[in-house]
């Protein structure tokens, strides 16, 4: 049974919008939205091929960050160096077959999108699959998802030396993929790369709140018309 860990990197010391993880969107903390989407992704992976897929969710934070106590109990916690984010992912994912990398500032990321990346990695035996290649991306900014095999995660931890490669985790894999690595990319039918639903500033936060409220109103209206059990989110 493949073992997957979904790692969400987050910290409370963001310079442009400090403590954004605690900001409320629809009455729920921003980071809770990402955690819930990660947990919910498992429902799309309950049965894959001939067997089940085991999924754990871990929050990757700098040691001693206030996020640790605030979100303890919601998922696993991996603390470590603030700048060496790669080391946090390595420690969390070293016993899993695949590690999913998400960032904690993407509260509108869909659960099915996370699952789609994992399914592609498993089906094609990719060492890396994502939707984040900047000059090729069609995904919304805020739907970023990356999946790394254990072999590639080990390789990066052993060979990445530049501070930027340690901080941004997958830069080296995309810049200098090892010859043995099988690389995949997820592209949408339509180009939505001009949309931004990641949260870096107060303006971003307000935009995301407006989008969330707009979606929830339509969901409520659809459930009233068709019945809650007959409305499916895609």
């Amino acid at each position: 049974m493949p073992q997957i860990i979904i790692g969400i990197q987050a910290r409370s010391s963001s310079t442009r919008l400090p403590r954004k993880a605690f900001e409320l969107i629809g009455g729920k903390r921003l980071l809770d939205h990402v955690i819930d989407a990660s947990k919910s992704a498992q429902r799309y992976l309950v049965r894959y091929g001939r067997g089940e897929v085991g999924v754990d969710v871990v929050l990757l934070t700098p040691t001693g960050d206030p996020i640790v106590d605030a979100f303890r109990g919601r998922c696993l916690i991996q603390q470590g160096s603030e700048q060496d984010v790669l080391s946090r992912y390595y420690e969390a994912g070293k016993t899993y077959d695949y590690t999913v990398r998400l960032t904690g500032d993407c509260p509108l990321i869909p659960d099915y999108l996370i699952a789609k990346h994992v399914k592609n990695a498993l089906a094609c035996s990719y060492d890396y699959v994502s939707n984040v290649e900047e000059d090729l991306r069609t995904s919304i900014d805020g739907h970023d998802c990356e999946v790394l095999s254990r072999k590639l995660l080990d390789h990066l931890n052993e060979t990445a030396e530049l501070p930027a490669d340690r901080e941004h985790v997958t830069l080296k894999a995309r810049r200098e993929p090892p010859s043995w690595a099988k690389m995949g990319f997820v592209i949408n039918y339509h180009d939505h790369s001009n949309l931004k639903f990641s949260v870096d500033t107060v303006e971003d936060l307000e935009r995301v709140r407006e989008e969330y409220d707009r979606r929830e109103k339509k969901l409520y209206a659809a459930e009233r018309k068709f019945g809650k059990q007959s409305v499916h989110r895609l």
Side-chain angles (χ1 to χ4, degrees):
M1 179 173 71
Q3 296 295 316
I4 312 295
I5 191 163
I6 301 174
I8 307 165
Q9 65 182 74
R11 61 190 177 111
S12 60
S13 58
S14 174
T15 55
R16 286 184 286 179
L17 185 58
R19 296 179 62 84
K20 61 186 174 183
F22 301 93
E23 294 286 352
L24 295 180
I25 299 172
K28 187 165 67 175
R29 295 174 299 185
L30 187 154
L31 187 52
D32 280 318
H33 285 278
V34 188
I35 295 172
D36 289 342
S38 299
K39 290 184 174 183
S40 182
Q42 186 171 15
R43 67 192 174 115
Y44 295 96
L45 298 167
V46 171
R47 297 291 299 179
Y48 180 83
R50 298 179 180 178
E52 296 183 354
V53 175
V55 180
D56 288 324
V57 178
V58 59
L59 190 56
L60 302 134
T61 71
T63 300
D65 194 290
I67 285 176
V68 174
D69 290 332
F71 291 88
R72 192 186 301 277
R74 291 244 50 215
C75 56
L76 302 173
I77 301 286
Q78 178 67 55
Q79 300 183 63
S81 166
E82 180 169 2
Q83 299 302 320
D84 189 355
V85 185
L86 174 56
S87 67
R88 281 187 256 155
Y89 273 98
Y90 174 73
E91 290 300 323
K94 62 185 178 182
T95 62
Y96 290 81
D97 298 299
Y98 282 93
T99 297
V100 180
R101 181 190 179 215
L102 304 178
T103 57
D105 57 2
C106 297
L108 300 186
I109 190 168
D111 51 6
Y112 66 83
L113 182 145
I114 301 169
K116 181 176 183 177
H117 281 69
V118 173
K119 285 183 177 181
N120 283 333
L122 293 173
C124 301
S125 299
Y126 286 125
D127 291 290
Y128 177 78
V129 60
S130 81
N131 59 1
V132 303
E133 198 71 31
E134 287 304 321
D135 57 341
L136 301 175
R137 71 176 296 150
T138 57
S139 293
I140 294 170
D141 182 344
H143 285 186
D144 294 15
C145 184
E146 299 174 277
V147 183
L148 298 84
S149 70
R150 186 193 306 178
K151 185 177 181 181
L152 182 60
L153 185 61
D154 290 345
H155 170 79
L156 292 177
N157 188 61
E158 291 173 2
T159 62
E161 297 179 351
L162 297 176
D165 290 341
R166 306 294 305 187
E167 180 179 0
H168 298 288
V169 184
T170 61
L171 277 182
K172 190 174 191 296
R174 288 183 279 128
R175 185 182 68 247
E176 303 169 0
S179 59
W180 47 261
K182 189 175 181 182
M183 311 287 282
F185 186 71
V186 176
I187 191 164
N188 295 346
Y189 284 103
H190 302 286
D191 187 353
H192 298 302
S193 58
N194 61 311
L195 299 176
K196 187 178 191 302
F197 293 135
S198 59
V199 177
D200 297 306
T201 65
V202 173
E203 292 75 19
D204 292 338
L205 179 62
E206 291 306 316
R207 184 187 312 113
V208 167
R209 283 172 171 162
E210 290 174 4
E211 176 66 16
Y212 178 84
D213 290 343
R214 183 163 50 247
R215 293 183 188 182
E216 290 302 300
K217 286 178 181 178
K218 289 186 176 181
L219 174 63
Y220 177 70
E223 289 177 346
R224 288 190 63 185
K225 183 174 183 177
F226 298 103
K228 192 170 185 178
Q229 298 302 318
S230 299
V231 175
H232 306 278
R233 305 192 78 164
L234 294 177

